[in-house]
Amino acid sequence: MDIYDGLTDISYLAHQLEDRAVLADSSMCRNLIGKILSKTMRGEDVSALHPQLLKLLAHPDMVIKKMACQVMIETAVEGSELIILAINTLLQDCRDSNPILRGIAIKTLCSLKHPAFTEYGIKVAQHGLSDQNAYVRRSSVLGCTKIFHQDKMLPVDHGLVDELYSILRDCDPIVVMNALVSLEEILQSEGGIVFNKNIVHHLLNKFSTFTTWGQAYILKLLQKYVPKNEDEIFDILNILDSYLSHSNLGVLTNTLELFLHILQGFPHLQMEVYKKSLDSLLWVLGSGNAEISFTMIEFIEKYLTNVQDLFFPHFKSFFCRYKDPIYLKEKKISIFPKLVTKDNVEEILDELSMYSTVFQQEVSLAAMKAMAKIVENQPDLADSCLSKFGILLQSEVGHIISNILQVLQTLDLSRYGDLQALMTAACSRHAHLVDNEEGQCALLWLISEYGATVDEAPYIIEDYLENFGAKTPLKVKLHLMTVTLKLFFHQPAQCQSILGELLEKCLADSNTEVQLQALFYF
Amino acid sequence: MISEIFILPGHNTALVSKRFRCDTDKEAKKIFVQKIKSRDPQHSQPHFKENGHYFYYVKRNGLFFVAVSKNEISPVFVIEFLSRFYYICKDFCGVVSEDSIQANVLLIYELLDEILDCGYIQLATTEKLRPYIQSEPVLVSEKSPAEDIASRLFGIETRVAPGSAANKPVVCSNTDLESRKHEIFVDVIEKITAVINADGTLSRMEVNGSVNMKNFLMGSPQIKMAFNEDLTLSKKGADKGYGNHVHLDKYSFHQCVKQEGFEKSRILTVVPPVGEFSVLTYSVGGDMSVTLPFRLTSALEDLDRSRDMMVTLRLRAEIPTSTQAVNVTVSCPVPGNVSSMSQHLTGPGQTAIFLSENKHIVWKIKNLPGKTEAVGQFRLINQTGGKMNKQEVGPVAMEFEVSGYTNTGLQIRYMRVYDRENSYVPFRWVRYITISDSYIVKIL
């Protein structure tokens, strides 16, 4: 099916659909309606085809009818005549003997945004609430919500709220679920659906009959209910206990949240809940589904501060896989500082050093930042970290040096004498390797802070000065000035000429910020 | 409440797009495309907020499956749903690719119509959706040229199921009902994650496996699957015994599996739903005496009178002689000052290239039979001056596929189908495959 049809095709389609022979041929019609659908999706105007659409709406083939309804819903905001003419067909379908047809008709009637339709829609939906067939009831319940969004007072006026509450006792679980979410939306201004003890008990007793997704919705809504006493709390826990290890993660996470919510007064029980769901939470990380792993780690992060101890032994689950996308690796690496203990620090640091040398720059930077964080948060474990930094400083790869300098900038190196020495040695040896903006700024900043011990500092500055030009980034220029000035105070003799030259160049620079700073220093 | 769902291929025009509620901007697609295209897809998180809209997506086969909402919904929930939606499309269309979606647009619209109403998920299992879907799936065949020629030249129907047989849609149209083959495919897929030290010892290893079933049978027959007799399952806290038996540390069965006979005779009774699902997922990890499928030894030497370095990699396949590894790729980082490389490889079917952007040697071996070796000698040429730092060689990352072999030794001894209603004997296909997830060997 070619979706790149030209505009002229509208007349072609109109012509085709006038032909009786074509209308009788279902597969050709399906093809044509497919093309109309593609056009609507791309935002093209198909109002010229409205008369033909009416015919398709009344077509006996179910697929064509569904698609015609779909096109009507999308485009009928503008074309009002079409809808008025379509009312008859749809109302007839609402009384058809085939329940699927009734359901589709109700869905369509309630979705159309036209004042004339909403009156019909509400009547049809109300009538459908007591239909024999479950499919029709499901469509009718959600039809009420759709009408609510067009006219907020209609459902209330027609007494639908009470009817929806009573339909919570329906035998079909999807109807019940639809009623719950409908009530939640319709009563939004009042805070949503109100749960009383009877409703909650009814839902819990029938909980296993709901679809997985229905269960997830209900668990979310149940957070609104306040159990009256301890017995009720334990009842709820007992019934829903098995869902803490459910295979669908939406259900699992909602159950966990619900339990933690109702157990707010029982911290030791909350710990039990965490323990029970731990295996399932960690299992996901090995599944290979990158998006799910990422969202689960985000979920775990929310609770990590409370239950760090539980996760300490499982740090290996968070190790990065070779094929993980960058966002996932960055996320996993950011978790490591929180999982570090005396026992696992060596292994974690080994792993982080390995990540620090990969060619993906973002991952390398993230790994080094994580190591720096470990140094900050847990000073007693800092020694191993620092030795790793020392090894990294000997690398000859541009981006690694640039990353590590950026990270070292954030640490107070005066506390770590050895590291400082290593850093200064590295600065002098590898200054030429640092090629990206952030790295250069970091290098200059470090020299300015600890420059007294760096012998070659003036020569490094001279290098930069030579390359000073329009292409040098703004930040580097500003840093350059700061660093030269600081060095001047340490080694006036050597720096005087450099400083003079630099200031001259900066004053002549086109950027006002640079000029201002130069003036200030002068 | 999900407001809109659309499927977007690599370029910008959406293949399928359906709005369930009228509260989102019609231009939501454009907002999404702008955000994703502005950064490398590897950087974009699976959910984000932009312009007052919440976007959630999964990326499969180069296609983006996106959900948009005006309110914040639990990301875990939506992403689980989108993953499920991908599998439903797969069950109905056979293969999910840009072509197959384009050919089955009406089918996908019908599916979306029945799966979601007013943004709430109604049904999301293949079996329950089938009665409501009237469109017939259009098959987009992806025959490889070799298969094509073979079938034309020989014109015989062989009993070996071609690789693509499992790509047919599970749900077939009514016309095919008579000619449908009654088949059931079982794939035992194991993914290995390993980090091996320079001296050959194992730093850590984990094997994640799953037994997947693709069920084309109608009705609900009972299937008995028997696994290795010496299979042991780990009980919490108990130590693994010594010996060569197959041991699973963690495992989880699908809901339709009855485990009663498993303790005694290692037989599972499964009443499978139609479509594709995992019967059993398991993982084996920690320190164990499982054989590594590949051993890589390396030697680095500095050459006299030259600044170059010679890297020799010797790859030995420890897999059984009856199997072979295909699409083996050995990727080795090299020091930053390497400008080019010359190579010496043993045997045909091997290629090696040097990528200068990220300083890697990529050595590809088309196939490597069991218990054989491949040796690659690479001379790293340094024209930029300075010594080459040996520390920057490695760690090596390997990718491979081995069919007919499982690392843990898990095997399905037999599979019997008990069906009271029908008298046919279904074809049962079992495939084993081990692939690398993250196989890293340190050089130093």
Side-chain angles (χ1 to χ4, degrees), chain A residues 296-428:
Chain A
M296 277 313 281
I297 296 182
E298 276 187 332
F299 181 78
I300 293 175
E301 250 186 331
K302 275 196 294 194
Y303 301 103
L304 201 52
T305 36
N306 300 346
V307 288
Q308 255 168 317
D309 310 347
L310 280 183
F311 280 94
F312 285 153
H314 299 280
F315 66 94
K316 284 197 182 168
S317 310
F318 291 89
F319 281 175
C320 296
R321 309 271 160 113
Y322 186 63
K323 291 187 209 156
D324 282 342
I326 293 182
Y327 62 80
L328 185 56
K329 284 188 184 170
E330 284 179 323
K331 192 73 179 174
K332 286 184 178 174
I333 292 177
S334 68
I335 296 270
F336 285 134
K338 302 186 187 155
L339 297 176
V340 166
T341 64
K342 244 192 353 253
D343 302 314
N344 58 26
V345 68
E346 281 304 323
E347 287 186 72
I348 292 189
L349 282 177
D350 269 337
E351 194 70 17
L352 282 174
S353 328
M354 202 165 74
Y355 298 149
S356 304
T357 52
V358 295
F359 69 89
Q360 289 161 323
Q361 297 193 16
E362 300 84 359
V363 178
S364 161
L365 186 59
M368 292 193 217
K369 279 190 182 162
M371 287 204 282
K373 218 161 178 199
I374 297 177
V375 170
E376 266 179 48
N377 295 349
Q378 315 219 10
D380 41 330
L381 300 172
D383 291 330
S384 351
C385 260
L386 298 171
S387 58
K388 294 273 187 285
F389 276 130
I391 297 178
L392 285 169
L393 277 167
Q394 291 168 20
S395 161
E396 306 251 343
V397 180
H399 75 265
I400 294 184
I401 293 286
S402 127
N403 285 346
I404 196 169
L405 289 176
Q406 287 174 54
V407 164
L408 287 177
Q409 197 179 355
T410 60
L411 291 176
D412 181 10
L413 285 178
S414 52
R415 300 213 316 243
Y416 313 111
D418 300 330
L419 189 58
Q420 189 173 339
L422 284 168
M423 183 274 295
T424 47
C427 279
S428 16

Side-chain angles (χ1 to χ4, degrees), chain B residues 163-229:
Chain B
S164 58
N167 288 345
K168 286 195 304 234
V170 175
V171 180
C172 59
S173 52
N174 294 326
T175 48
D176 281 348
L177 221 53
E178 301 302 316
S179 59
R180 181 175 39 88
K181 289 203 203 120
H182 305 285
E183 296 169 310
I184 191 158
F185 289 87
V186 175
D187 284 319
V188 181
I189 304 176
E190 290 196 347
K191 294 190 186 166
I192 303 188
T193 304
V195 177
I196 303 165
N197 295 325
D199 51 7
T201 54
L202 194 56
S203 170
R204 66 166 196 278
M205 178 150 161
E206 195 180 68
V207 180
N208 285 312
S210 70
V211 178
N212 292 346
M213 185 183 281
K214 194 151 182 177
N215 176 22
F216 286 89
L217 306 172
M218 295 298 152
S220 39
Q222 218 184 50
I223 302 185
K224 284 209 196 303
M225 291 172 69
F227 291 90
N228 317 48
E229 276 170 2

Side-chain angles (χ1 to χ4, degrees), chain B residues 53-340:
Chain B
H53 292 75
Y54 291 87
F55 293 93
Y56 307 84
Y57 76 91
V58 299
K59 188 162 186 232
R60 302 274 184 271
N61 267 13
L63 293 170
F64 289 90
F65 289 76
V66 191
V68 190
S69 167
K70 219 49 208 287
N71 321 80
E72 197 172 1
I73 331 177
S74 152
V76 179
F77 178 75
V78 185
I79 296 204
E80 264 275 24
F81 166 67
L82 287 172
S83 307
R84 188 83 203 85
F85 177 56
Y86 164 75
Y87 279 113
I88 296 177
C89 290
K90 196 160 182 246
D91 278 345
F92 277 87
C93 303
V95 170
V96 174
S97 66
E98 197 179 328
D99 292 328
S100 69
I101 299 278
Q102 224 166 326
N104 287 294
V105 173
L106 288 187
L107 176 61
I108 308 276
Y109 269 110
E110 272 204 90
L111 281 172
L112 282 172
D113 221 5
E114 298 304 330
I115 296 178
L116 287 147
D117 189 1
C118 201
Y120 293 100
I121 304 171
Q122 309 282 288
L123 296 168
T125 47
T126 316
E127 242 173 287
K128 289 193 196 155
L129 285 168
R130 206 155 32 113
Y132 299 103
I133 308 296
Q134 310 278 332
S135 304
E136 306 199 346
V138 173
L139 285 183
V140 173
S141 62
E142 287 178 25
K143 261 193 187 165
S144 62
E147 261 179 23
D148 224 9
I149 297 177
S151 56
R152 270 185 276 145
L153 275 183
F154 300 105
I156 0 170
E157 265 219 30
T158 54
R159 282 227 52 191
V160 177
S164 58
N167 288 345
K168 286 195 304 234
V170 175
V171 180
C172 59
S173 52
N174 294 326
T175 48
D176 281 348
L177 221 53
E178 301 302 316
S179 59
R180 181 175 39 88
K181 289 203 203 120
H182 305 285
E183 296 169 310
I184 191 158
F185 289 87
V186 175
D187 284 319
V188 181
I189 304 176
E190 290 196 347
K191 294 190 186 166
I192 303 188
T193 304
V195 177
I196 303 165
N197 295 325
D199 51 7
T201 54
L202 194 56
S203 170
R204 66 166 196 278
M205 178 150 161
E206 195 180 68
V207 180
N208 285 312
S210 70
V211 178
N212 292 346
M213 185 183 281
K214 194 151 182 177
N215 176 22
F216 286 89
L217 306 172
M218 295 298 152
S220 39
Q222 218 184 50
I223 302 185
K224 284 209 196 303
M225 291 172 69
F227 291 90
N228 317 48
E229 276 170 2
D230 54 359
L231 180 67
T232 53
L233 300 172
S234 151
K235 296 195 191 357
K236 292 229 159 83
D239 265 331
K240 175 201 176 227
Y242 291 99
N244 286 337
H245 55 264
V246 179
H247 180 87
L248 303 179
D249 281 338
K250 287 192 220 166
Y251 53 93
S252 126
F253 293 101
H254 192 265
Q255 284 148 323
C256 69
V257 172
K258 300 190 189 53
Q259 303 170 39
E260 293 98 32
F262 202 63
E263 293 296 309
K264 278 188 274 180
S265 52
R266 302 288 176 248
I267 297 182
L268 282 181
T269 312
V270 186
V271 182
V274 174
E276 195 177 328
F277 68 101
S278 278
V279 176
L280 160 68
T281 46
Y282 57 92
S283 119
V284 186
D287 335 293
M288 358 149 298
S289 53
V290 181
T291 43
L292 291 167
F294 292 92
R295 284 202 185 279
L296 183 75
T297 42
S298 55
L300 301 173
E301 332 161 7
D302 285 316
L303 297 171
D304 303 329
R305 287 180 274 120
S306 161
R307 283 174 302 192
D308 299 342
M309 184 153 59
M310 186 72 108
V311 177
T312 311
L313 296 173
R314 177 182 246 113
L315 179 66
R316 183 177 166 80
E318 301 282 355
I319 50 183
T321 39
S322 49
T323 56
Q324 61 176 6
V326 292
N327 297 335
V328 180
T329 309
V330 178
S331 174
C332 181
V334 290
N337 41 12
V338 172
S339 47
S340 62

Side-chain angles (χ1 to χ4, degrees), chain A residues 1-4 30-31 33-35 38, chain B residues 102-106:
Chain A
M1 194 178 302
D2 180 19
I3 63 169
Y4 298 116
R30 283 189 189 184
N31 227 314
I33 188 84
K35 291 194 180 159
S38 313
Chain B
Q102 224 166 326
N104 287 294
V105 173
L106 288 187

